[in-house]
Amino acid sequence: MRLAFLSDLHGNIHALTAVKRFLAEHSVHEVIVVGDLVGYGASPGPVIDLVGREGWTAGLGSSDMRVALELGERTGRGGVAEQVLNWTRRVLSPEQLDFLRRLPSGGRLKTPVGRVRYFHGAPHDPAGRLDLMAPERELEALAEGLNARVLVVGGSHVPFVRVIGETTFVDPGSVGLSLNHEPGADVALVDCAGRRPVVSLHKVPYDFASSAFDIMAWNLPPVIADVIRTGRMG
């Protein structure tokens, strides 16, 4: 049983299309999107439509929540992020907004290696943040409380794997706006056969120049194009 975890698609249809081709070559049983389908990128509608058309399982991310639920301005969040979220809200269709509103905050799967839990940010809070570098005892307590052998969390935009005791913690990174200093789309594959899960992190190449061009064509903040081209912020 092989699961593919994607996170932080951020409206980047060029990256997501390349990831779709990659997954078709790797015998994946199920694809799970760990939130943030929209935000930052110039193609939020096509990204939502692709996820829905493929029937991929998806959860609610913080950007999805901000766009779909119209929570208003949030203290401390302005500038680039808020500008793009406001633009995204205007260009999505009512059906696409409804798709985001219906996304759950996370989910769980039963696999041969045990229970897999996934969410964006923090349990039951897409806007939260779980530090996967926290002390072992804190993460062990979290895994025990969630009854999880594999715990997948998005939001950092940096792919990461950590094994503590019997639990494997995974951050898939970001499909649409990776921040690990290398352009490309991040994908995590989790093989759930045998005694323990096996995680492989992949960087999928795509036409990031076209993604950057789309940002400029829509008059979105140029810094986003720079991040797409370089894989780093600033």
Side-chain angles (χ1 to χ4, degrees), residues 10-14 37-38 40-48 87 92 214 218 220:
H10 284 308
N12 189 335
I13 192 62
H14 299 285
L37 284 68
V38 303
Y40 295 108
S43 303
V47 164
I48 292 171
W87 173 85
L92 292 182
D214 290 348
W218 279 102
L220 297 173

Side-chain angles (χ1 to χ4, degrees), residues 4-86:
F5 287 94
L6 316 177
S7 189
D8 298 274
L9 314 185
H10 284 308
N12 189 335
I13 192 62
H14 299 285
L16 190 59
T17 300
V19 166
K20 178 186 170 184
R21 291 194 296 265
F22 170 85
L23 295 176
E25 300 170 353
H26 285 79
S27 303
V28 172
H29 293 87
E30 186 169 355
V31 180
I32 298 99
V33 181
V34 194
D36 272 5
L37 284 68
V38 303
Y40 295 108
S43 303
V47 164
I48 292 171
D49 292 344
L50 190 154
V51 171
R53 187 168 60 247
E54 293 299 315
W56 293 345
T57 300
L60 184 71
S62 56
S63 293
D64 306 324
M65 182 173 65
R66 297 287 300 167
V67 166
L69 302 182
E70 300 185 26
L71 301 177
E73 297 287 337
R74 189 172 75 182
T75 301
R77 181 168 191 167
V80 170
E82 203 66 37
Q83 179 181 339
V84 180
L85 292 179
N86 289 335

Side-chain angles (χ1 to χ4, degrees), residues 111-167:
T111 77
V113 298
R115 179 174 291 182
V116 176
R117 294 291 302 266
Y118 61 88
F119 48 83
H120 189 92
H124 316 299
D125 181 12
R129 180 59 59 90
L130 176 63
D131 180 11
L132 293 186
M133 292 299 293
E136 288 191 5
R137 62 183 179 278
E138 293 182 17
L139 295 178
E140 285 175 340
L142 174 65
E144 183 177 351
L146 295 175
N147 189 24
R149 286 290 309 279
V150 181
L151 197 153
V152 184
V153 56
S156 79
H157 295 214
V158 178
F160 182 80
V161 178
R162 185 180 183 187
V163 178
I164 300 175
E166 294 297 312
T167 303

